Amino acid sequence: MSAHALLQAARRRTLLVWLCAGLPLALAIGLLAARVLGFDAGYIVCTLALLMAVGAAVWRARRLHVRWLIARLNEYTRFEDSADLLFTPADTLNPLQQRQRRHIEQRLQREPPDLRPRWPWQRVLLCWLIAALLAAAALLWPRSAGSAAGVMDASPVASSARSGLPALRGSWLQITPPAYSGQAASSGDKLDARALQGSRLQWRLQFAPQPQQAWLQFHDGRRVALQRDGDYWRASEVLQRAGLYRIHTLPAMADAGRAYRLDVVVDRPPQVKVIEPAQTLNQAAPRQRVWQLRFEATDDFGVNSTATLDVTTAKGSGENISFQQRQLSLSGSGPATARRFAYSADLAALGLEPGDEVVARLSVRDNRSPLPQEARSASLILRLPSEQQVQASDLEGAIKKVMPAYFRSQRQIIIDAEALLKQRGSLDADTFIKRSDAIGVDQRILRLRYGQFLGEEAEGGAKAPPTGDLPTSDAPAADSHADHADDDGHDHGGSTAPAPVFGSATDVLSEYGHTHDHAEAATLLDPQTRAILKSALDQMWQSEGHLRQGHPDQALPYAYKALAFIKQVQQAERIYLARVGSDLPPIDMARRMTGKRDGLVNRAVQLDARPAADAVAANAWQALAARDDAVDLDALSRWLDAHPNAVPDPLDVVAAIDALRQQPECQPCRQTLRAQLWPALRRADGPPARRNAADASGRRYLEALSAPQESGR
């Protein structure tokens, strides 16, 4: 046996000894505390006592460490006071020490000593005897001496016996939740309860002396009669809504007691979560045959094992669309509180064709009885590709995909030019010039796009006739088709047009001029913004020229300037629409300059009137502030029944009203009710927003209005 095994055995024996002695004492102390102070206090005391017993046992076992083991081993002569060599690293020992260590290990294996502590039977039996005495004292403790919950003190009982008035001597309340919840019934001597809606409450009360009649009076006027059964009075009620109740007897009890509270836990409806597919709208893959659906339904008390899947198919296109609905029953798997439902929709069995759609939605119900709650998932849509899309997917291997011609930005042109400059050393001259020319073409397209905002459609200046050495991309015919469409809203001329006459102004305008070349009819920009954009176009022109010539390094400065101008244009504060004629009503000269204000209304901001429903709470809140002002508690109760959501916890307000009814002169009760009504008060409306200060043009306009008019005008 190794030294570490000896240490572990000693620790286990010590831990077991302390637990056998401490656990019975802890349990007996907890039982006595529960008998004297009540179940809640006894539970806390018992838990603390058990923790202390276990902690003491662990602490005592941890005191047996390596140094303790070395000291115990050195007590034996056969180990020659060399037990510490067993716990020293071998690489730090000299040859003589290593040899001595081997001798010690052999002797330890041959004759291992028993270092476990002996059982202290006398102390253990003494602890068990003390625990038994405490348990007996707890069982024999007189119950009438004072259970903290449910049993009255002896003095009120004695005083009521002397006066002949009944008093509550014992109480017992059993709560039986609905069967569908699966919760166990609970009982206790507390008359306050918090239970699931639909639970059955059973009261058992004991009075001394016995009254003639007894009942439970609720705050909303309901009364539940108590039926006598021997020495006890019983009643039963199904909990449907929260409320307060008091115990009343005939003759009345000497001590009416406090109001007891019943809180309702509402059964929440189930929740349905879609696991697959991840999106609500899905596009079916070409040749897809199956659509996988998976759902998860959760509920606090469990959902039904079966669910209904509504499947709707839409066939056709345009106005010829037909719908077909199906309902499928699905069986769930997993626990009742979190069931999962799965379904594989066969698209061929549903009769779907290319271009059709299918919509699926799951409906589940919980186990609430008699009225189960239902929840539905989000609608999942699957669209099948049309025949054209299927044909295109079949030709993916034969057709080369080409990226669409996106609108290239000025920043992207700069990035491409800089990247081309970095590759100059690895490219030959022809390839470098071709790539630079391609970037120049992108610069030209971007310049023409921005030029449309200035009323331009072509290059703006006259072009030279095409020659054989002109690049194809600069040919006028290509420009006319690429940059100017035939459906611009005006006539571009055609083969049927007569031949233009040289020098005729009319023919020149009809061939080269367009009405939307006018700035007022073709732009939405103010003059300053137009000037900035014109500067950007000039810089683009210079950049394009250098790029087309194969000099991107010379084009970059102009490209950067163009980008800066474009940023200024993007930050323009406002735009101007084209000027149109105004259609103002005619001025009545008979009423002009008369100073009459007939028919004008006051434009001052009017505050909304306070709703009448809030006046009850506001009046009660103000009346509670004074010491002697009367408060209409009946009206406040009716208002609370009509507006239960006006306060965070209506039952707290009901309890405060009930306390004030019982003690009208209680000032703390008035303050408590006033604090409960504060959330129901309407907040004061904020001040009207101030009008924004006039800008420069607005100030000039106001100054012109206030300036004295010239004579004769």
Side-chain angles (χ1 to χ4, degrees), residues 436-458:
S436 180
D437 180 70
I439 300 175
V441 173
D442 293 338
Q443 180 69 87
R444 174 176 176 272
I445 295 174
L446 181 62
R447 178 175 57 83
L448 294 178
R449 291 291 181 89
Y450 277 108
Q452 293 179 2
F453 293 98
L454 297 180
E456 299 180 0
E457 288 191 5

Side-chain angles (χ1 to χ4, degrees), residues 88-379:
T88 305
D91 54 355
T92 60
L93 300 178
N94 55 38
L96 181 59
Q97 292 175 335
Q98 293 179 1
R99 182 177 180 181
Q100 180 67 8
R101 177 177 178 174
R102 287 192 295 269
H103 289 314
I104 297 301
E105 290 178 347
Q106 292 175 2
R107 295 172 183 175
L108 183 63
Q109 292 291 338
R110 185 168 54 252
E111 297 182 37
D114 188 4
L115 303 180
R116 296 177 300 175
R118 297 181 180 180
W119 277 93
W121 293 111
Q122 295 181 355
R123 297 181 181 179
V124 173
L125 292 177
L126 180 60
C127 292
W128 279 80
L129 180 59
I130 296 175
L133 293 177
L134 292 177
L139 295 177
L140 298 177
W141 193 275
R143 189 172 182 82
S144 60
S147 176
V151 180
M152 298 299 167
D153 294 336
S155 56
V157 176
S159 61
S160 63
R162 290 192 299 267
S163 61
L165 298 178
L168 185 62
R169 182 179 178 184
S171 61
W172 182 80
L173 176 62
Q174 181 178 359
I175 303 173
T176 305
Y180 75 88
S181 65
Q183 296 180 348
S186 60
S187 60
D189 49 14
K190 287 188 175 181
L191 296 180
D192 293 315
R194 179 180 178 86
L196 180 65
Q197 187 177 16
S199 300
R200 176 164 292 277
L201 306 180
Q202 295 179 350
W203 288 271
R204 188 179 67 185
L205 306 177
Q206 185 178 12
F207 300 95
Q210 294 292 347
Q212 299 177 5
Q213 294 181 6
W215 65 91
L216 305 178
Q217 183 68 44
F218 287 82
H219 76 280
D220 55 358
R222 292 184 297 117
R223 175 182 292 189
V224 177
L226 290 168
Q227 304 295 332
R228 185 172 180 179
D229 183 11
D231 293 338
Y232 297 95
W233 293 78
R234 300 178 183 272
S236 179
E237 178 76 4
V238 177
L239 182 61
Q240 294 295 343
R241 58 176 179 173
L244 297 176
Y245 72 96
R246 291 178 180 273
I247 301 174
H248 290 270
T249 60
L250 185 65
M253 293 189 300
D255 185 11
R258 66 179 182 88
Y260 301 99
R261 177 169 179 156
L262 296 178
D263 289 305
V264 175
V265 178
V266 181
D267 185 3
R268 295 173 298 177
Q271 302 291 329
V272 183
K273 176 183 178 182
V274 180
I275 300 178
E276 186 180 358
Q279 299 178 353
T280 304
L281 179 60
N282 303 272
Q283 187 75 20
R287 302 295 185 266
Q288 180 177 345
R289 299 180 180 273
V290 179
W291 187 28
Q292 296 290 341
L293 300 175
R294 287 197 304 160
F295 306 87
E296 183 181 16
T298 58
D299 188 73
D300 43 5
F301 299 108
V303 296
N304 202 331
S305 58
T306 59
T308 302
L309 181 65
D310 298 327
V311 180
T312 304
T313 57
K315 299 182 179 181
S317 61
E319 298 181 355
N320 299 324
I321 299 179
S322 60
F323 298 92
Q324 185 177 4
Q325 296 183 354
R326 298 180 177 87
Q327 285 190 349
L328 306 175
S329 180
L330 303 182
S331 298
S333 60
T337 56
R339 294 190 185 274
R340 292 204 171 190
F341 301 88
Y343 179 72
S344 297
D346 190 353
L347 303 183
L350 295 176
L352 298 178
E353 298 178 355
D356 296 345
E357 294 183 359
V358 57
V359 182
R361 184 172 60 177
L362 185 72
S363 301
V364 298
R365 293 185 177 184
D366 61 3
N367 295 327
R368 192 177 72 169
S369 178
L371 299 176
Q373 301 179 100
E374 185 177 0
R376 295 183 178 181
S377 67
S379 298

Side-chain angles (χ1 to χ4, degrees), residues 548-624:
R548 300 296 293 272
Q549 295 175 9
H551 301 292
D553 52 345
Q554 301 178 11
L556 281 176
Y558 300 103
Y560 276 114
K561 293 180 181 179
L563 179 61
F565 286 127
I566 291 174
K567 290 300 181 182
Q568 296 182 20
V569 173
Q570 293 176 353
Q571 296 174 1
E573 293 183 356
R574 57 182 179 271
I575 62 176
Y576 291 86
L577 298 176
R579 291 181 297 184
V580 296
S582 59
D583 188 10
L584 300 179
I587 300 176
D588 187 1
M589 302 303 297
R591 298 180 55 186
R592 188 179 183 186
M593 304 300 292
T594 59
K596 295 181 179 180
R597 300 176 59 86
D598 300 339
L600 298 180
V601 297
N602 186 10
R603 297 184 180 181
V605 178
Q606 299 291 337
L607 297 179
D608 297 335
R610 186 181 299 274
D614 293 342
V616 177
N619 296 337
W621 185 80
Q622 293 178 358
L624 290 170

